[in-house]
Amino acid sequence: MGDSSIHPQPELFTYLLMLVLVWRAVLGALRTLAQESCFRWGEFHKTLRLSRALRWLSVGGGYRWEAQRLTVLAHEALGNTAEAVRRARILLASRREAGDWRIANTVVNTFINAGLYQEALAVEHSWGSAGERPQDGARLLEWCLVQLNLVEAV
């Protein structure tokens, strides 16, 4: 007979794998609810609560950034312009190297709506090498939206 303390039970790995898969599904559902409450239902207080929960529960990566982006959008929609701008600046500083044009578009819109046209125009230049025109479809669309919104700042 083998010593089970040396070799973990296969069931433990199965349970851990199931936990990881369920956790990802929960985070995905929470992100979807936050997006729907922001973009479809216009429930911006609910968006703030869901985004806060998503930031707390996500270990990192895309869920956390999307929660922060939705938080900026919700504050802006609620008329909390100063808070939206403050959070947009933090988001911009932390995501610049990633080249995430959805983030850039959110930041540009927030700055324009706050009357910070020069700061909006500086976003593209501050994006560095990530600011180059992307080649793939979804990223190209987001880049085009940023360009369109920057025209408004001029």
Side-chain angles (χ1 to χ4, degrees):
M1 283 196 214
D3 184 5
S4 64
S5 64
I6 296 173
H7 302 288
Q9 300 294 328
E11 294 86 22
L12 176 63
F13 291 117
T14 303
Y15 292 135
L16 288 174
L17 179 62
M18 287 174 40
L19 178 65
V20 167
L21 293 175
V22 167
W23 192 255
R24 288 184 54 91
V26 167
L27 290 176
L30 196 56
R31 179 188 60 199
T32 300
L33 278 173
Q35 289 171 335
E36 291 292 311
S37 71
C38 185
F39 299 121
R40 187 177 301 245
W41 304 327
E43 297 281 340
F44 301 110
H45 289 290
K46 187 181 293 182
T47 302
L48 289 175
R49 288 191 298 272
L50 290 166
S51 295
R52 186 178 312 122
L54 188 57
R55 277 194 316 273
W56 287 342
L57 295 174
S58 61
V59 177
Y63 292 115
R64 185 175 302 270
W65 300 121
E66 180 65 7
Q68 290 180 352
R69 186 177 81 87
L70 291 169
T71 300
V72 169
L73 292 169
H75 277 296
E76 187 177 355
L78 290 168
N80 303 331
T81 306
E83 183 64 14
V85 167
R86 184 184 76 77
R87 288 176 179 267
R89 286 178 178 143
I90 293 169
L91 193 55
L92 176 64
S94 60
R95 292 301 288 168
R96 189 171 288 135
E97 280 74 35
D100 187 338
W101 286 103
R102 285 183 320 151
I103 299 290
N105 194 43
T106 299
V107 170
V108 166
N109 277 332
T110 301
F111 290 165
I112 289 171
N113 292 337
L116 303 170
Y117 302 111
Q118 293 300 321
E119 203 165 342
L121 290 169
V123 169
E124 183 182 29
H125 299 293
S126 72
W127 222 242
S129 63
E132 296 173 7
R133 181 180 176 184
Q135 300 302 314
D136 62 346
R139 290 179 43 134
L140 181 59
L141 175 62
E142 293 296 334
W143 179 85
C144 289
L145 286 172
V146 169
Q147 301 309 307
L148 183 64
N149 287 321
L150 287 172
V151 170
E152 186 180 350
V154 177

